Amino acid sequence: MGALLQQAQAMQEQLMSAQAELAEAEVTGQAGNGLVTVTQTAAGEIRAVTIDPKVVDPDDVETLQDLVVGALADAAQAAADLQAEKMGPLAGGLGDMGGGLGLPGQ
């Protein structure tokens, strides 16, 4: 029983470490071949949005809006991929307990 508790505590420490790493790890999403880029943490905090002036057209705001949404979605997918990479092996070992990790997308 003691070994099982030690194993659970070690896994909890690994999960906490992975969550802290994800909170700081940055991913980038882009749309329009880089005309719009979004940088966010793997935990979902948006850190930067960059828009190339070439795409700013007052007569075509919809295209810019679509590019921003696309870059946000791309960044969110990159964050989800990184979360799965970092947390997957750990959460998989928890069975049903892995669902409440407090990360976006879960």
Side-chain angles (χ1 to χ4, degrees):
M1 186 68 160
L4 183 59
L5 288 175
Q6 285 180 331
Q7 187 178 22
Q9 183 176 6
M11 186 174 285
Q12 181 180 13
E13 289 171 5
Q14 289 174 331
L15 283 169
M16 290 173 54
S17 174
Q19 285 176 318
E21 189 176 332
L22 288 170
E24 293 301 316
E26 289 188 349
V27 297
T28 300
Q30 59 95 22
N33 289 324
L35 292 174
V36 175
T37 61
V38 172
T39 303
Q40 72 175 51
T41 66
E45 177 188 344
I46 303 297
R47 296 254 170 107
V49 176
T50 305
I51 300 172
D52 188 309
K54 289 187 287 192
V55 76
V56 180
D57 179 357
D59 295 325
D60 188 13
V61 175
E62 293 80 18
T63 296
L64 178 57
Q65 292 169 337
D66 290 344
L67 289 170
V68 170
V69 169
L72 286 166
D74 191 45
Q77 184 60 54
D81 292 346
L82 186 58
Q83 287 175 8
E85 178 185 321
K86 297 285 183 188
M87 302 297 283
L90 297 172
L94 292 175
D96 290 336
M97 296 184 333
L101 298 175
L103 294 173
Q106 291 190 345

